[in-house]
Amino acid sequence: MIEVSLIITTYNNSSFLIPCVLSALDQKFPPAEIIIADDGSNEKERLKILTFFKDSKIPIIHVWHEDLGFRAALIRNRAIAQAKSPYIVLVDGDMILHPY
């Protein structure tokens, strides 16, 4: 089995992010870990993310930095640096993933 780290980018949008992560958790071949690359979501959104996924069977890592404007590339690179798997898949937080 190929081990994959899934990186999902987000910014103040847990209403889209939560279904995205749920679709990732429902994969027929789930990722070894899910890393949420958060480009500066506010505290309310951060708490939703941390609370909603605290009991996940798959590790979910929340990589966040302060909101200093659009810095998606920087937070993606920070998330990639956290990845432990030899393969990385990047998706946006408003996508629903096909089970395969």
Side-chain angles (χ1 to χ4, degrees):
M1 179 77 73
I2 296 175
E3 194 172 290
V4 173
S5 293
L6 176 64
I7 297 175
I8 303 173
T9 57
T10 192
Y11 173 74
N12 278 337
N13 209 340
S14 62
S15 61
F16 288 143
L17 177 66
I18 290 170
C20 177
V21 173
L22 290 174
S23 73
L25 293 171
D26 196 34
Q27 294 288 293
K28 299 300 180 193
F29 306 101
E33 63 183 352
I34 297 171
I35 303 171
I36 298 173
D38 190 335
D39 190 22
S41 293
N42 63 44
E43 190 64 22
K44 180 180 172 186
E45 291 293 309
R46 288 178 63 202
L47 288 174
K48 280 184 193 177
I49 292 165
L50 295 172
T51 303
F52 194 85
F53 298 113
K54 67 180 169 55
D55 296 325
S56 172
K57 294 177 187 173
I58 295 173
I60 297 180
I61 299 116
H62 186 216
V63 179
W64 176 89
H65 63 199
E66 184 180 4
D67 184 1
L68 297 175
F70 183 76
R71 300 184 299 155
L74 178 60
I75 199 63
R76 275 193 301 267
N77 287 338
R78 288 182 176 168
I80 289 168
Q82 296 288 317
K84 294 178 177 65
S85 301
Y87 294 95
I88 297 171
V89 173
L90 292 112
V91 298
D92 289 329
D94 59 354
M95 299 175 68
I96 301 297
L97 306 177
H98 188 280
Y100 288 96

